[in-house]
Amino acid sequence: MHRSCHSPFFSKTALVLGLFVGSLVELPCLAETKEEASDEAALRADARKTFKEDVAPFVENYCIRCHGPRPKGGVNLKSALKSPGSASSFLHWKKAVANVKVHDMPPEEDVSKIPTDEERRQFAEWIDKLKYLAPRDPGPFVIRRLSKVEYGNTLQDLYGVDPGIVGVLPDEVVGEGFLNSISPLQSELYLEIANRVVEEVLAAKGEDPAAVQKRLFGETPSDGADLREEARRVAQSLARDAFRRPPSDSELDVLVGVFDLARENQLDYTASLTLMWKAVLVSPQFLFITPAEEVDSDESIVRLDDYQLASRLSYLLWSAPPDDELIALAEKGDLRKTEVLRSQVERLLAHPRSRALFDSFGAQWWRVNGLEQQVFDPDLFPEVTPDLRKAMMDEARLFFGSVVRENESVVRFVDSDYTFVNEPLAELYGLEQTIQGKEMRRVELANPNRGGILGMPVTLASTSFPGRTSPVRRGVWVLEQVLGERVPPPPPDVPELEELKGEDLEGLTLRQLTELHQSEATCANCHQVLDPIGFGLENFDAIGRWRDRDSAGVAIDSKGKLPSGKGFATPAELKGLLADRESDLARNLTERLMAHALGRQLEGYDEIVIDRLMRRIAEDDFRVRTIITEVITSYLFTHRKIEG
C-alpha cells in the first residue's frame, strides 16, 4: 500500500488532491458584531463637529499641498478628508499624527505654514476622536494559515508524529498575525508531509495496525458491508478531528468522492481510506483556521460558533488544536458563555503549553525572534555562541511566562528585580553569585539598571549592529515596542554612521557621530526624539554587557529625556519613567495582542473597543492575565461579520 508518490497513480492523486484543495480554498472573508454604548451617539456627533471645525482646516492649512491628489510618503489626506472614518483613512491619520508630533511635518522650509506646538498637540487629540466616525464594524475576519509551529503541534496532537516532521516547510515571516495563502511550492510540501505522516502512522501491508490506525480507520468491515457507507463514517471522524468542528454534508461528499476515485483505481479498502485521509491533511479546512460553512442567521454580524472560538483560543494560547475539554464545551454550546470562556482562559494559561504564547506573540512583540540569525562580529564578541543565544531567548521566554503565570502588572515587563540565567548568561550579566551549568534558574537582581526587558541581553543584542550598539534602533524600540508610539520611517538614502566621510569625524564618540544626523534637516526632528532614549541604554554594549566606558575608553554619557521632557541619567531612571506610564504600557500590550489574535491591523472602531477594555484593565491594576482575558472575551475576538 506504500506506493511511491512518483507512480502514475499518485501523480494523478496529487492532481486530484490539488483540485480538492482548490475547490474549497475560496472561503468567505468575515468580520464581526455590535456592542451597545450609551454615550456613543454623543461621541460620534462630537467627532463630526471636531472633524469639520478643527481637523479639516488644519489639514487644508498645513498638509494638503503635499498630501493631496499626488500624496508624498504614502499619506493621502485628500482621500482621508472625503471619508474620515474609513479603515484606510484611519491608517493615514495615524501616519500624519506621528509625523506632526515629532515636527517632521509640515516641512520647515514652508515657514509661513508651520503649526505651533499647541496646535500639534491638539491635532493628535482631534485625530483620536475620529475613531467614532468609524462604522460599527470590528473589521474583517482573517482566515489564516496555521503557522509552522502550529501545524507541527497539530499533527503531533492528532496523530502522535514528531512535530519536527514539518521541518521541510520554510519559516514564515509574520506581521501582526500570519500569512493566509499557500504557494504552489508549499502545496507540494504539504502533500509530502501528508505522505510522511501516513507512512509513520499506518502499518505496512500484512502487519497488525497500530492503535492510532485503529482509532482513525476503525475495524475492517465484515464481508458484505457497504464500504462506501463505512468510508463516510470514517470521513466524518477524520474530518471532525482535523477541521476542529463537525464537517458539512458537502465536505463529506467531496471526501467520499476521493474514496470512490481510489476504488475505481483498484485500491483496497484501507488504501482508499488512506487517500481520503491525505485529502483531509491537505485541505484548507485543516491547514487554515476557518469558520463554519453556513450560518443560520439573518444578522450581518454574529458570534463565532463555539468550535471556531475553541480553535481561535487554543491556537492563540497553546499554538495547538483544541483539547478534549474545549471540544466538549463547544459541542454543548457552552464556550460562548462569558464566565465559561474566562475560566477556560485561566485553565489554558495555567498549563505548561501556554509557554507557546511567548514564541508566537511575545518574541514578535519584543522583536527578538531574529536573534538566531543575527550576525555579531566574532572578533569583538567571541562569547556569542549558540549556547549563549539559546540562553538569551530562554531568559526572555521564562521571564515572559513568569509575569503571565504570576499575574503581575504589565509594569513588571519594564522593571523587575529578578530574571532567569544559566552559567554563560550569568557571566554576561557579571553576577557575583556562582551559577554553574546550562540549566536556567531564577535569580534576584541587585543592580537596579537590570531587570525587565530594557536591561535584558536578548533585547539589547537584537537592537544592535554586528560590531556596535545603535542608539537609534534602541530609541525606536523603546518608543514602538514598549510605549506603543508610531515612529515615522527614516527618509530614503540616509547613510549609516560608518559611511559618513571626512577628516573632522576622526576621534568622535558614537554619541557625537549620531548627533551629526541631527544637523541634517530631514533627520533632525526624529533623532531629537529617538537618540536621547537610545543613549539611556548606552551603558549596555552590543550584546548586553554593562560598561562604564566605550571601546575607545571614553566615559559613557547616558543622560537623555523622553518626548514628554522628563530626563534621566541612568538606565534605572529611564525604566522608572517608563514604569510610571503603566496605562500606556498596558494599552500597547492590549493593542498588540489583539492585532496578533485577529491576524490584522487594528482600525477605527477597534479603538473604541480597546478604550472600553482599558477601563476594565485599569480597575485590576493593569495585570497581564487580565489583559489576555479581556482580549479573548472581547467583542472583536468573539464575533464576526457575514459578508453578503
Side-chain angles (χ1 to χ4, degrees):
M1 68 181 277
H2 297 289
R3 297 177 185 238
S4 165
C5 63
H6 298 293
S7 69
F9 172 69
F10 272 91
S11 295
K12 182 178 180 182
T13 298
L15 175 61
V16 170
L17 295 184
L19 292 174
F20 173 75
V21 172
S23 69
L24 296 175
V25 77
E26 291 202 14
L27 298 165
C29 183
L30 306 169
E32 97 158 14
T33 63
K34 299 177 182 178
E35 187 177 68
E36 297 300 328
S38 59
D39 58 348
E40 198 167 306
L43 291 168
R44 193 180 300 273
D46 181 57
R48 291 194 187 99
K49 182 173 182 288
T50 298
F51 173 74
K52 181 179 179 180
E53 297 180 0
D54 300 312
V55 174
F58 184 98
V59 171
E60 292 288 351
N61 284 337
Y62 300 120
C63 313
I64 206 68
R65 183 172 65 85
C66 295
H67 300 284
R70 296 181 180 178
K72 295 181 179 180
V75 179
N76 188 339
L77 297 184
K78 188 73 173 178
S79 65
L81 287 175
K82 292 179 180 177
S83 55
S86 69
S88 60
S89 296
F90 181 77
L91 297 177
H92 290 302
W93 293 131
K94 287 289 186 181
K95 291 178 181 178
V97 166
N99 283 284
V100 169
K101 284 174 69 174
V102 298
H103 290 235
D104 206 31
M105 291 291 160
E108 293 289 342
E109 57 266 24
D110 194 358
V111 179
S112 63
K113 296 256 182 166
I114 295 298
T116 65
D117 288 349
E118 177 62 16
E119 284 179 306
R120 292 177 189 275
R121 185 191 63 77
Q122 289 178 331
F123 181 64
E125 292 181 357
W126 297 333
I127 294 300
D128 186 55
K129 292 184 178 183
L130 298 190
K131 60 193 170 191
Y132 293 105
L133 298 180
R136 290 189 174 211
D137 181 347
F141 179 90
V142 178
I143 298 174
R144 70 166 181 84
R145 175 165 50 87
L146 297 180
S147 71
K148 186 176 178 179
V149 171
E150 291 171 335
Y151 178 47
N153 289 344
T154 302
L155 292 175
Q156 181 183 45
D157 283 12
L158 295 184
Y159 311 120
V161 299
D162 187 328
I165 200 170
V166 305
V168 296
L169 287 174
D171 292 329
E172 55 269 300
V173 178
V174 295
E176 303 307 28
F178 298 102
L179 301 179
N180 58 3
S181 62
I182 293 180
S183 68
L185 173 60
Q186 287 170 319
S187 295
E188 293 181 16
L189 294 176
Y190 281 120
L191 181 56
E192 177 186 334
I193 293 170
N195 286 330
R196 291 180 59 189
V197 170
V198 167
E199 289 173 3
E200 288 194 20
V201 170
L202 300 188
K205 198 163 188 176
E207 296 180 0
D208 292 334
V212 176
Q213 181 174 341
K214 288 182 179 180
R215 175 174 61 82
L216 297 176
F217 289 177
E219 299 294 336
T220 302
S222 58
D223 292 341
D226 185 337
L227 297 185
R228 198 169 189 272
E229 191 60 36
E230 294 293 333
R232 193 175 186 88
R233 277 196 284 271
V234 173
Q236 171 82 24
S237 176
L238 290 173
R240 186 182 184 86
D241 287 345
F243 298 174
R244 303 166 286 273
R245 59 169 173 78
S248 66
D249 287 340
S250 61
E251 289 169 333
L252 289 177
D253 290 341
V254 174
L255 291 174
V256 174
V258 175
F259 175 85
D260 291 340
L261 171 70
R263 296 293 289 165
E264 291 168 8
N265 282 270
Q266 285 73 54
L267 266 67
D268 64 24
Y269 176 73
T270 301
S272 299
L273 292 183
T274 300
L275 183 64
M276 187 173 69
W277 181 27
K278 287 183 182 179
V280 169
L281 291 175
V282 298
S283 69
Q285 291 90 331
F286 177 59
L287 299 176
F288 288 75
I289 295 180
T290 64
E293 275 197 322
E294 299 176 358
V295 176
D296 184 17
S297 175
D298 295 330
E299 299 293 326
S300 61
I301 299 175
V302 299
R303 277 187 170 272
L304 294 186
D305 71 81
D306 286 62
Y307 291 103
Q308 188 180 17
L309 186 56
S311 289
R312 197 174 231 187
L313 172 61
S314 64
Y315 280 111
L316 174 63
L317 298 184
W318 283 3
S319 293
D323 64 357
D324 291 342
E325 184 169 336
L326 280 176
I327 290 297
L329 289 169
E331 287 176 345
K332 292 189 292 185
D334 286 344
L335 188 58
R336 69 181 60 198
K337 297 175 182 175
T338 302
E339 66 277 10
V340 174
L341 185 55
R342 286 181 178 273
S343 68
Q344 287 302 304
V345 173
E346 286 293 320
R347 180 179 72 85
L348 267 63
L349 286 176
H351 195 283
R353 297 193 79 166
S354 66
R355 64 183 178 273
L357 184 60
F358 171 78
D359 295 307
S360 65
F361 168 70
Q364 183 186 150
W365 168 27
W366 294 345
R367 287 189 182 172
V368 298
N369 43 3
L371 181 70
E372 187 176 341
Q373 292 78 37
Q374 190 162 340
V375 175
F376 295 95
D377 188 324
D379 294 327
L380 296 176
F381 306 108
E383 304 87 351
V384 182
T385 63
D387 284 345
L388 183 62
R389 290 177 192 256
K390 182 178 184 302
M392 286 180 175
M393 286 298 293
D394 286 345
E395 176 190 18
R397 183 180 295 107
L398 290 167
F399 178 67
F400 181 93
S402 72
V403 174
V404 174
R405 184 176 59 255
E406 296 166 23
N407 200 18
E408 299 261 24
S409 165
V410 69
V411 171
R412 194 63 62 233
F413 283 132
V414 169
D415 193 12
S416 73
D417 57 2
Y418 72 92
T419 193
F420 297 82
V421 300
N422 61 4
E423 184 174 350
L425 199 53
E427 292 177 0
L428 193 69
Y429 267 90
L431 296 181
E432 294 182 2
Q433 61 260 52
T434 301
I435 304 291
Q436 294 182 333
K438 293 184 178 181
E439 181 185 353
M440 301 292 292
R441 68 214 72 178
R442 181 167 174 157
V443 297
E444 301 304 312
L445 295 171
N447 183 350
N449 293 300
R450 294 287 191 181
I453 56 177
L454 269 71
M456 196 173 284
V458 69
T459 54
L460 294 163
S462 296
T463 51
S464 295
F465 287 115
R468 65 166 176 85
T469 60
S470 173
V472 176
R473 284 187 177 184
R474 288 178 176 178
V476 171
W477 181 82
V478 170
L479 285 173
E480 291 190 336
Q481 308 311 120
V482 180
L483 292 175
E485 300 279 355
R486 181 184 287 268
V487 177
D493 304 322
V494 176
E496 298 292 352
L497 296 183
E498 289 82 357
E499 299 173 7
L500 296 175
K501 306 296 182 183
E503 296 180 4
D504 56 335
L505 305 184
E506 194 70 33
L508 294 183
T509 66
L510 178 59
R511 184 163 195 146
Q512 291 167 333
L513 283 170
T514 304
E515 287 171 349
L516 286 177
H517 277 233
Q518 295 188 26
S519 65
E520 296 289 333
T522 56
C523 304
N525 293 324
C526 280
H527 278 274
Q528 288 170 1
V529 174
L530 304 175
D531 297 355
I533 299 174
F535 279 112
L537 300 174
E538 190 62 11
N539 281 112
F540 300 110
D541 73 4
I543 61 173
R545 287 177 302 199
W546 181 265
R547 59 184 183 169
D548 293 310
R549 296 181 178 274
D550 64 18
S551 57
V554 179
I556 298 293
D557 179 6
S558 59
K559 293 190 293 294
K561 63 180 180 179
L562 293 179
S564 63
K566 292 185 177 181
F568 52 84
T570 65
E573 291 180 6
L574 171 58
K575 289 196 307 178
L577 292 177
L578 296 178
D580 288 341
R581 295 179 59 174
E582 55 185 358
S583 179
D584 293 329
L585 299 175
R587 188 179 185 99
N588 178 42
L589 172 55
T590 304
E591 290 181 343
R592 288 183 179 277
L593 182 61
M594 184 71 80
H596 172 76
L598 302 178
R600 61 173 176 80
Q601 291 182 322
L602 299 186
E603 298 166 351
Y605 194 73
D606 301 333
E607 294 285 331
I608 299 174
V609 177
I610 297 291
D611 288 345
R612 296 189 183 112
L613 298 191
M614 290 309 302
R615 289 193 284 271
R616 293 194 285 271
I617 290 166
E619 291 171 359
D620 196 33
D621 300 323
F622 304 102
R623 295 183 184 275
V624 173
R625 276 217 308 270
T626 301
I627 292 174
I628 296 171
T629 302
E630 290 298 330
V631 165
I632 291 172
T633 56
S634 73
Y635 156 73
L636 299 176
F637 191 89
T638 60
H639 291 73
R640 66 182 176 95
K641 182 178 179 180
I642 309 248
E643 299 289 355

